[in-house]
């Protein structure tokens, strides 16, 4: 893993930084500090925060530390008071800290830059007001980009508008950089808790065979967890990722049908294309949506694009557009209309075509069918933008 630092408050100078240097800077500012660790999904943000926390705990006269997962807190809080949820989490990691003036460093993981996170940060500041905590924040840039595309978010996430003592950017490593890739894989194997008899060199060779262009914590981790569960022959990186996600789906939910996993892929597609209806659709699709949001939505871009590609293949038009699979999965778009839907045909738009059917009860149902070609083009445009941004 290469760690670089970007001093955004003094231009865009990007320089390498050692782990020990970052650790010392955090320890030197145990009150009212802010450090932003950002990178794309699977880049090792969580691993870096955990390593920093362990090192802080081992330091002489160390401040107290708390590790918080923002996504879990948001999910647990729901419409309830975020302060009460945070109080339980803080008491777990640092009993007796609240209402003292002890120094504390809070490692806040899982932020993706959306407005739903702001109340958590505000509640944390309120709860630990006497401690003036230093925050070390992990921010998934690509997750924000994906959500911004589908939800009209501002181009700049609120985290970039906050003042930080240091911003650290985690970069992926080229699979063809032998020396650096070998060192990175060796480090991940030692710290992942996964036993393997393969050497770093053998792992690099396997990843090259699969067609992976870069290494990060996620890519190496899914290889280590799935290498013994599938044959590589004839597989590319996307097929390997899909098979890995199917293995995970089975681990989480037990025996499953191909349709259940395909609907999970459709849920991924629906999440990132604004042209798709946001309604839950059928009960099956609603279940797939819940499972996707709970366990797959925060996986990195390499997973999201693989799931979306599989969804597009699954819902592609066939000779029979009336097939239940197409009507049910291509957007979950068959919804009874109490008023005429927007008319796209008059403008000469080629994106969708409309079809009217009758339900079993005779109720008129309108659906709009969006060709997978339009969906693929949208995903291709987005992928090119993000690849340019990360290049």
């Amino acid at each position: 893993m290469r760690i670089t630092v970007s001093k955004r408050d003094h231009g865009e100078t990007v320089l390498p930084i050692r782990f020990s240097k970052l650790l010392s800077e955090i320890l030197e500012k145990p009150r009212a500090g802010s450090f932003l660790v950002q990178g794309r999904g699977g880049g090792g943000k969580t691993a870096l925060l955990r390593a920093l926390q362990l090192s802080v705990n081992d330091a002489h006269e160390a401040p107290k530390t708390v590790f918080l997962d923002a996504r879990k807190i948001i999910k647990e809080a729901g419409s309830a008071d975020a302060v009460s949820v945070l109080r339980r989490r803080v008491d777990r990691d640092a009993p007796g800290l609240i209402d003292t003036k002890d120094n504390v460093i809070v490692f806040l993981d899982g932020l993706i830059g959306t407005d739903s996170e702001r109340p958590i940060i505000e509640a944390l500041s309120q709860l630990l007001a006497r401690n003036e905590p230093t925050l070390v924040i992990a921010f998934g840039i690509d997750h924000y980009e994906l959500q911004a595309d589908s939800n009209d978010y501002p181009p700049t996430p609120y985290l970039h508008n906050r003042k930080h003592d240091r911003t650290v950017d985690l970069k992926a490593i080229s699979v063809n950089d032998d020396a650096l890739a070998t060192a990175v894989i060796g480090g991940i194997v030692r710290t992942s808790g996964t036993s393997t008899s393969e050497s770093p060199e053998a792992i690099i060779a396997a990843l090259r065979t699969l067609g992976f262009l870069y290494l990060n914590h996620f890519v190496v981790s899914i290889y280590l967890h799935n290498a013994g569960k599938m044959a590589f022959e004839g597989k590319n990186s996307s097929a390997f990722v899909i098979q890995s996600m199917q293995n995970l789906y089975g681990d989480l939910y037990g025996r499953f049908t191909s349709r259940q996993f395909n609907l999970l892929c459709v849920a991924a597609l629906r999440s990132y294309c604004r042209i798709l209806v946001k309604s839950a659709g059928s009960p099956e699709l609603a279940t797939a949506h819940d499972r996707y949001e709970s366990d797959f939505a925060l996986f990195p871009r390499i997973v999201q694009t693989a799931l979306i590609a599989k969804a597009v293949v699954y819902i592609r038009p066939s000779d029979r557009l009336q097939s239940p699979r197409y009507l049910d999965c291509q957007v979950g778009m068959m919804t009874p209309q109490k008023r005429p839907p927007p008319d796209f045909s008059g403008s000469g738009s080629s994106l969708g075509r409309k079809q009217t059917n009758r339900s079993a009860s005779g109720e008129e149902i309108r659906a709009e069918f969006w060709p997978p070609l339009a969906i693929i083009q949208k995903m291709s445009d987005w992928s090119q933008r993000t690849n340019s941004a990360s290049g």
Side-chain angles (χ1 to χ4, degrees):
M1 179 191 304
R2 183 169 76 250
I3 302 177
T4 63
V5 56
S6 175
K7 296 292 286 183
R8 297 181 187 279
D9 51 344
H10 296 95
E12 289 292 329
T13 303
V14 178
L15 298 169
I17 182 174
R18 290 184 177 275
F19 177 88
S20 57
K21 172 64 174 174
L22 177 60
L23 175 63
S24 66
E25 289 187 4
I26 293 171
L27 288 170
E28 288 167 5
K29 193 162 186 180
R31 297 185 78 87
S34 182
F35 297 83
L36 182 65
V37 176
Q38 63 182 12
R40 302 194 176 277
K45 298 180 294 296
T46 299
L48 178 57
L49 260 63
R50 285 293 190 186
L52 287 167
Q53 183 189 26
L54 291 173
S55 297
V56 169
N57 290 341
D58 289 340
H60 179 63
E61 297 182 354
K64 294 183 177 180
T65 64
V66 173
F67 195 99
L68 301 173
D69 185 326
R71 309 323 301 169
K72 290 182 179 179
I73 292 170
I74 290 171
K75 184 176 181 179
E76 184 178 343
S79 59
D81 180 14
V83 173
S84 60
V85 176
L86 286 167
R87 181 180 291 274
R88 291 196 297 272
R89 301 275 179 164
V90 171
D91 283 339
R92 176 200 62 189
D93 284 8
L97 171 68
I98 298 173
D99 296 327
T100 71
K101 291 187 176 181
D102 293 347
N103 293 338
V104 60
I105 297 175
V106 178
F107 296 89
L108 187 56
D109 191 28
L111 295 178
I112 59 175
T114 60
D115 288 341
S116 62
E117 299 166 353
R118 294 195 189 209
I120 301 299
I121 296 179
E122 292 169 1
L124 185 62
S125 299
Q126 174 187 338
L127 182 66
L128 300 178
R130 299 184 66 186
N131 306 92
E132 297 182 286
T134 281
L135 300 181
V136 182
I137 299 169
F139 169 43
I141 298 174
D142 54 342
H143 295 306
Y144 182 81
E145 292 171 347
L146 288 166
Q147 295 296 328
D149 258 6
S150 54
N151 293 285
D152 290 324
Y153 290 159
T156 303
Y158 75 90
L159 287 167
H160 283 176
N161 295 325
R162 291 171 56 94
K163 180 176 176 57
H164 302 291
D165 296 282
R166 185 164 308 267
T167 296
V168 175
D169 294 298
L170 299 185
K171 304 295 184 182
I173 303 300
S174 168
V175 74
N176 294 315
D177 188 336
D178 288 336
L180 194 53
T182 301
V184 168
I185 289 177
I188 293 174
V189 169
R190 288 192 299 272
T191 59
S192 66
T194 303
S195 59
T196 178
S197 59
E198 292 188 78
S199 66
E201 291 77 10
I203 294 173
I204 292 174
L207 293 174
R208 285 175 179 161
T209 299
L210 287 167
F212 285 101
L213 300 177
Y214 63 90
L215 299 177
N216 62 21
H217 199 277
F218 178 81
V219 168
V220 176
S221 294
I222 64 167
Y223 175 83
L224 293 174
H225 282 87
N226 292 280
K229 300 179 183 178
M230 65 182 81
F232 296 138
E233 186 176 353
K235 281 189 167 58
N236 57 26
S237 58
S238 296
F240 183 80
V241 169
I242 286 293
Q243 185 63 58
S244 300
M245 293 301 103
Q246 288 176 325
N247 291 344
L248 174 61
Y249 192 97
D251 291 342
L252 292 172
Y253 302 112
R255 291 174 62 89
F256 65 94
T257 65
S258 60
R259 175 179 170 80
Q260 287 176 308
F261 185 78
N262 284 330
L263 288 181
L264 180 88
C265 297
V266 172
L269 173 61
R270 287 161 58 92
S271 294
Y272 295 125
C273 287
R274 281 180 291 178
I275 61 174
L276 304 186
V277 192
K278 295 296 184 180
S279 60
S282 68
E284 275 187 301
L285 199 53
T287 298
H289 172 79
D290 291 343
R291 290 179 174 181
Y292 170 75
E293 290 293 330
S294 173
D295 297 306
F296 293 84
L298 293 184
F299 279 128
R301 184 178 64 188
I302 191 173
V303 172
Q304 305 306 324
T305 52
L307 294 177
I308 289 167
K310 186 169 177 61
V312 170
V313 171
Y314 178 62
I315 65 176
R316 68 191 184 278
S318 63
D319 291 336
R320 297 183 60 194
L321 292 180
Q322 295 290 345
S323 68
R325 183 178 78 177
Y326 186 71
L327 291 178
D328 189 31
C329 302
Q330 172 117 2
V331 211
M333 1 169 141
M334 288 216 20
T335 52
Q337 298 290 331
K338 302 303 181 184
R339 61 182 183 278
D343 184 1
F344 293 95
S345 58
S347 62
S349 170
S350 60
L351 280 177
R353 61 183 176 278
K354 295 157 64 176
Q355 180 166 321
T356 302
N357 300 286
R358 296 281 175 181
S359 67
S361 63
E363 185 174 22
E364 187 175 276
I365 297 176
R366 288 190 177 92
E368 285 176 30
F369 299 96
W370 297 89
L373 182 60
I375 297 169
I376 293 171
Q377 183 61 55
K378 181 179 178 64
M379 295 310 303
S380 175
D381 292 345
W382 164 75
S383 182
Q384 289 176 17
R385 290 200 304 274
T386 53
N387 283 333
S388 297
S390 62

